[in-house]
Amino acid sequence: MATPVLAATATARATRRRGGRRSLTPYLYIAPFFLVFGVFGAFPLAYTAFISLFDWNPIGDQVFIGFDNYVALVADPRFWNASWNTVVIWVLSTVPQLAVALVLAAVLNQALLKFRTGFRMAVLVPNITSVLAVGIIFTQLFGRDYGMINSVIEALGGDRIDWVAGTFSSQFAVSTMVMWRWTGYNALIYLAAMQSIPRALYESAEIDGAGAIRRFFTITIPQVRPTIIFTVIVSTIGGLQIFAEPLVFGGQAGVTGGQSRQFQTLALFLYEQGFRNLEFGYASAIAWALFLIIVVLTIINLALSSRIASEK
């Protein structure tokens, strides 16, 4: 009589083990992501927060000072200057960039356009070009004495502009670099979204007499609105971390964003404090401030975009 009981018990245990393995399998599939995120995402974030509470010199002492770095940061005019520069460059580069990308995608989506594949590949070239090469080329273009931009302005009767020395002119030049690199990339994202729009909608609009511009605003824009929201959020996150373009554009004064810090971004300010002044604690506080600014602006951006989308 004991044998059937033992067999049933063993069967029940085997069933539980199989059930346990089945329930564990999905977690094993997604575990690599969380491991990588934990090592390269969560841990640096937590460790940066830890360091920000210290007067941390990598070749000197590390003294716990609590929130003094954050207090000093709020009172530091260089921080507010860098924050303002970052926001201005972000607006100057992101808004025109996404608008031009949308129009460019609509052009590339035209069925009558010849060599479409070639054009679609060409718009991605700026994005895969080395940012250092982009910076050197644009620095030459915006050169005061021999730059092509100033030559054109002078030919049209204007005066030469010292693009690096001026506050708005330098921010405009840096924004142009960012626009050139990312417009094609965003255009391809919009193009992918436009190709999923049913052609029947355009055909019906044509029958009703709608022109190309009206079809663009009444069909294309509403249909790709979720993609637009996505690009706005991603561009916000990337635009607030601009580093390489102003660094190359400024030359020897690139770390400080010019002689008067006229185009120093928050990322450059962080780099200056951390790796030039070796104030790792203060740089970590800047990193956390930048993180919070990005989170707040992203939430505001998402709320505004969602509200506009729901009203349409």
Side-chain angles (χ1 to χ4, degrees):
M1 293 302 289
T3 301
V5 173
L6 290 175
T9 303
T11 303
R13 287 175 179 170
T15 302
R16 283 198 296 273
R17 282 198 296 270
R18 284 197 296 273
R21 284 198 293 270
R22 279 198 295 270
S23 63
L24 190 63
T25 301
Y27 296 103
L28 292 177
Y29 282 128
I30 63 175
F33 164 77
F34 286 101
L35 286 175
V36 173
F37 175 75
V39 173
F40 297 102
F43 173 72
L45 204 62
Y47 194 56
T48 303
F50 174 73
I51 293 177
S52 70
L53 303 177
F54 287 78
D55 181 6
W56 189 294
N57 188 318
I59 56 175
D61 297 330
Q62 291 91 40
V63 181
F64 180 78
I65 56 174
F67 290 95
D68 286 0
N69 280 327
Y70 293 96
V71 175
L73 187 64
V74 172
D76 191 343
R78 298 173 301 173
F79 167 70
W80 295 109
N81 174 68
S83 301
W84 176 250
N85 290 341
T86 304
V87 171
V88 172
I89 293 173
W90 165 59
V91 172
L92 288 177
S93 62
T94 302
V95 175
Q97 173 195 144
L98 296 182
V100 173
L102 204 53
V103 175
L104 187 59
V107 172
L108 293 175
N109 197 37
Q110 296 301 311
L112 298 177
L113 181 68
K114 295 184 181 299
F115 310 114
R116 279 181 297 173
T117 303
F119 284 120
R120 291 171 184 176
M121 292 173 62
V123 298
L124 197 59
V125 170
N127 187 251
I128 61 176
T129 305
S130 164
V131 66
L132 181 61
V134 174
I136 293 173
I137 292 172
F138 273 81
T139 302
Q140 297 298 319
L141 288 175
F142 285 101
R144 185 189 61 183
D145 298 324
Y146 304 105
M148 191 178 74
I149 306 295
N150 272 346
S151 298
V152 173
I153 293 174
E154 197 173 42
L156 294 175
D159 296 326
R160 288 183 174 271
I161 300 172
D162 192 345
W163 294 94
V164 178
T167 300
F168 181 77
S169 60
S170 59
Q171 294 170 350
F172 177 81
V174 173
S175 303
T176 306
M177 275 190 256
V178 178
M179 275 186 59
W180 189 80
R181 284 195 70 219
W182 293 100
T183 299
Y185 173 83
N186 285 306
L188 289 185
I189 294 177
Y190 290 146
L191 178 63
M194 289 178 186
Q195 290 185 332
S196 66
I197 301 174
R199 302 301 303 177
L201 292 176
Y202 291 106
E203 293 169 359
S204 300
E206 285 186 42
I207 293 173
D208 291 339
I213 296 177
R214 186 173 180 183
R215 292 198 301 272
F216 177 75
F217 284 103
T218 58
I219 297 176
T220 305
I221 296 292
Q223 291 292 321
V224 301
R225 187 173 295 128
T227 306
I228 294 174
I229 294 174
F230 167 76
T231 55
V232 167
I233 293 172
V234 173
S235 299
T236 300
I237 296 172
L240 294 175
Q241 301 178 68
I242 292 175
F243 174 77
E245 289 87 352
L247 179 66
V248 177
F249 182 70
Q252 294 183 344
V255 175
T256 56
Q259 298 296 333
S260 306
R261 299 179 181 271
Q262 62 269 28
F263 56 93
Q264 186 184 47
T265 61
L266 275 173
L268 281 177
F269 185 45
L270 187 159
Y271 180 82
E272 178 193 11
Q273 298 303 315
F275 296 97
R276 173 178 279 188
N277 301 339
L278 298 180
E279 296 286 348
F280 274 34
Y282 196 53
S284 299
I286 298 170
W288 262 93
L290 177 60
F291 172 72
L292 293 176
I293 290 172
I294 291 174
V295 170
V296 170
L297 288 181
T298 301
I299 291 174
I300 294 174
N301 229 330
L302 180 62
L304 290 175
S305 303
S306 302
R307 184 172 181 178
I308 293 172
S310 63
E311 289 176 351
K312 296 293 182 179

